[in-house]
Amino acid sequence: MSLTHTRVTAGPAELDPCGLPEHPDCGIRDLLDRVGDTWSVFVIVELANGARRFGELQRAIDGISQRMLTLTVRRLERDGLVTRTVYATVPAQVDYRLTETGASLTHLVKALADWSLAHREVIADARSAYDAQHPDNVMRRGRSSS
C-alpha cells in the first residue's frame, strides 16, 4: 500500500484521544482551523491542478472576495501549504502553487469529498427526520442561528 493510499473501513478508525496529559495537543484543532476552512479547501482543490494566478483563483472559486482570497492564500503560505512566486515583470505577476506538504493533503481532501458524495442522501434524510421530530429547532438548511 502506498503512503498516500487511504484505506476505507466499515468501522471507526482508531484514534488517540486529544487532551490527555501525555498528549496535550495533538494538532487537530490547529489543522482543522486551516483545512476545515471552506475557502482553504477550495484553494487547495484548485491548486491541485497546478499553479494559478490570483485572478484565476478568484474566478475559479465562486463567491470568494478578493480580501478573503488574500487572507486564505496568506494563511496557507504561512502554514507551508502554498508557495507564492513573484515574477519580475511589468506589471509583476504572482502565482500560487501547492508545496509538497500541501500536495500531500489533496488525497485527504478528495477522500472527504468522495465520502460526502457517498453519504449526502443519508445525511439529507437524517436532517429531514430530525427536523420533523424537532419542528422548533434553530438549525435549518445546514446553518445554525448561533
Side-chain angles (χ1 to χ4, degrees):
M1 179 174 5
S2 75
L3 293 176
T4 59
H5 178 76
T6 303
R7 196 178 88 196
V8 178
T9 59
E14 292 183 30
L15 299 173
D16 292 330
C18 291
L20 297 177
E22 66 274 11
H23 199 231
D25 182 10
C26 64
I28 289 175
R29 184 180 314 261
D30 190 44
L31 175 68
L32 287 177
D33 283 345
R34 187 63 50 240
V35 298
D37 167 3
T38 301
W39 299 123
S40 293
V41 171
F42 285 136
V43 169
I44 290 167
V45 166
E46 193 57 37
L47 293 179
N49 297 312
R52 297 285 187 269
R53 292 176 53 189
F54 188 91
E56 292 173 317
L57 281 173
Q58 191 171 13
R59 285 187 296 277
I61 302 171
D62 188 42
I64 194 166
S65 68
Q66 181 174 342
R67 181 183 187 299
M68 186 51 66
L69 181 55
T70 299
L71 289 173
T72 301
V73 293
R74 281 184 186 163
R75 289 173 182 149
L76 291 169
E77 184 180 13
R78 180 176 181 255
D79 288 345
L81 303 176
V82 166
T83 185
R84 178 180 184 262
T85 305
V86 180
Y87 297 96
T89 59
V90 177
Q93 289 186 346
V94 178
D95 75 21
Y96 300 88
R97 64 186 74 234
L98 292 175
T99 63
E100 187 175 329
T101 303
S104 71
L105 261 177
T106 59
H107 72 282
L108 297 173
V109 171
K110 181 174 180 350
L112 185 59
D114 290 346
W115 179 91
S116 67
L117 287 172
H119 294 89
R120 68 181 167 186
E121 289 180 23
V122 172
I123 292 169
D125 291 346
R127 287 177 179 170
S128 293
Y130 182 93
D131 290 347
Q133 292 174 1
H134 304 88
D136 296 329
N137 77 68
V138 296
M139 293 179 277
R140 295 289 177 171
R141 294 178 203 84
R143 299 189 188 279
S144 70
S145 64
S146 58

